[in-house]
Amino acid sequence: MGSETMGSFTAGSDSTFTPHPSPDRRRGNPALRRWLPALAVPAVIAAGALAGTIPASAGDPLPERTPAEVLALAASHQVESFSGTVEQSSDLGLPALPSTGPGADPASAGGAASVVGFLSGTHTARVYVDGKTRARIQVFDRLAERDIIRNGNDVWFYSSKDNSAAHLALPEHASDLPLSAPAQGQDPSAPGLPGDPLTTAVKTPEELARQLLAKVDPTTAVTTGPDVQVAGRTAYNLLIEPRSDATLVGQAAIAVDGRTGMPLSVQVTARGAASPAFRVGFTSLDLAAPDGSLFTFSPPPGSTVKELAAPADGQAHHGQGFQRPTVSGSGWETVVGLPAAAAGGGAAAALLNDPLLAQAAVVVPGGRLLSTALVNVLVTDDGRVFAGMVPPDRLQAAASAAP
């Protein structure tokens, strides 16, 4: 292959692509949102609800493409209807949860147990998507199932553990609303979005890949490795490596489907580590449109049903008493801070008061630190929260500089 320049990339078998800054190229289905604790949301990849096993080596090689061409393939894919099984495997260095028997499942218990549970071990979900406004996600616990179903402007949340359901009628600005499950004990009429900061949200490999690719800039090396096999499909292996020492991320590997460009799996490895700390990927995938009946939901007999009130236009981001997060740094070194008024009602209180999270947090100057292999979260003594894929001293510096 001849020499071809794009950005500061020169094509070749051992070449590295260093892109120039570009606008956010978000593509694909915006209807899905991940079951990710809001405590880790600012750091993007703290953990989602879904991850996968290491992709196998591919059998039949794909046509050769440069890293720039694989990036373009992923950004331009048009897959909007599919169904499949997605698995998560996380090893972020958090303490193991206590078990009360073979049927115990802390991830279904809510609160901090749900947070630590989804950030540890392996979890499975079934995902159905048909266009931009119809989606169903089934998250399986050991003896229970949780569903999020969107059909147009109607969204249902259901938990089989206690046979409870909640309904949300989306307003016209629905595309701006994350689909988070309602929190136990929360007043559904309270201002803001339904769900507390420790509620998890839905995430697919595509969404995680999109957020990682948004960080690709001149501080990032992009290369391709040998083709991989994911869910029976041959994929390009796009490797993203931050050049900054001020991030915990060593490398991210994105499997990009060779035929459609759809991201099939994502693996994130901490700096200096030999194996991924977080994996999300399909184990099965069908690109046919799912049966329409999957997006119709009626509460089972005997279930308790709550009607959730959607925030008024603009209230979700500018509601009374809500303060905007602060952002310092950029790219892989970004630190997001939540003011005490925003953080104190959920994330900060849970981290400081819950025994499970308190076990993982350590006292540091100015507050307490929850540290994982890929993300650090600092809760200051005055109740603010700072999170990022950066070392603790970066969080402390951001806390000192924030008003």
Side-chain angles (χ1 to χ4, degrees):
M1 183 176 294
S3 178
E4 176 185 340
T5 300
M6 176 177 178
S8 53
F9 165 74
T10 302
S13 59
D14 297 320
S15 299
T16 297
F17 170 52
T18 302
H20 294 309
S22 60
D24 185 10
R25 297 172 299 175
R26 286 179 284 186
R27 294 283 195 273
N29 189 342
L32 294 178
R33 292 294 184 268
R34 53 193 168 84
W35 275 21
L36 174 70
L39 192 63
V41 164
V44 180
I45 49 97
L50 317 170
T53 56
I54 298 177
S57 298
D60 297 327
L62 294 168
E64 185 178 354
R65 292 181 187 262
T66 68
E69 289 170 337
V70 178
L71 280 171
L73 178 67
S76 62
H77 90 82
Q78 300 297 316
V79 177
E80 291 188 347
S81 296
F82 62 89
S83 60
T85 300
V86 186
E87 288 186 357
Q88 165 187 314
S89 178
S90 304
D91 184 10
L92 299 173
L94 290 170
L97 286 172
S99 176
T100 56
D105 189 355
S108 65
S114 178
V115 174
V116 178
F118 270 115
L119 295 180
S120 306
T122 300
H123 307 281
T124 302
R126 186 75 180 164
V127 180
Y128 305 89
V129 177
D130 187 12
K132 297 182 183 300
T133 60
R134 300 212 299 178
R136 181 171 188 143
I137 296 90
Q138 299 171 307
V139 178
F140 301 103
D141 299 328
R142 293 179 187 173
L143 295 178
E145 174 185 321
R146 281 167 290 176
D147 291 66
I148 299 180
I149 306 103
R150 177 177 178 178
N151 192 355
N153 286 341
D154 286 314
V155 179
W156 284 95
F157 309 94
Y158 177 71
S159 172
S160 67
K161 182 181 180 183
D162 56 3
N163 198 23
S164 64
H167 174 254
L168 174 66
L170 295 176
E172 293 183 0
H173 63 287
S175 61
D176 297 329
L177 295 177
L179 301 184
S180 57
Q184 295 182 357
Q186 180 183 346
D187 179 2
S189 64
L193 297 173
D196 68 29
L198 292 178
T199 305
T200 50
V202 174
K203 187 166 192 67
T204 63
E206 177 180 352
E207 290 175 304
L208 180 56
R210 185 189 310 139
Q211 292 179 353
L212 290 171
L213 291 176
K215 295 181 176 294
V216 173
D217 61 17
T219 68
T220 308
V222 182
T223 59
T224 53
D227 297 346
V228 293
Q229 194 84 5
V230 181
R233 303 180 68 87
T234 306
Y236 293 102
N237 190 16
L238 190 65
L239 305 176
I240 300 173
E241 185 173 353
R243 289 194 171 110
S244 170
D245 292 332
T247 179
L248 302 178
V249 177
Q251 185 186 77
I254 302 173
V256 178
D257 184 50
R259 290 184 56 193
T260 67
M262 179 180 180
L264 302 179
S265 72
V266 176
Q267 301 181 56
V268 185
T269 302
R271 183 172 296 277
S275 59
F278 178 73
R279 302 172 179 138
V280 56
F282 286 98
T283 58
S284 66
L285 178 64
D286 185 349
L287 297 182
D291 191 302
S293 63
L294 289 165
F295 308 107
T296 301
F297 178 80
S298 297
S303 62
T304 59
V305 180
K306 288 185 178 181
E307 191 68 29
L308 302 176
D313 190 17
Q315 186 181 32
H317 301 291
H318 306 290
Q320 182 178 3
F322 183 82
Q323 296 176 267
R324 282 181 173 274
T326 62
V327 179
S328 59
S330 62
W332 302 99
E333 301 176 19
T334 299
V335 174
V336 176
L338 296 176
L351 180 60
L352 295 174
N353 300 329
D354 189 277
L356 286 173
L357 290 180
Q359 178 184 348
V362 297
V363 176
V364 296
R368 302 194 69 180
L369 178 72
L370 178 63
S371 182
T372 76
L374 295 174
V375 173
N376 282 319
V377 180
L378 172 68
V379 178
T380 64
D381 291 334
D382 59 8
R384 295 173 296 158
V385 176
F386 294 85
M389 297 182 291
V390 297
D393 62 327
R394 293 290 179 123
L395 299 182
Q396 291 172 312
S400 299

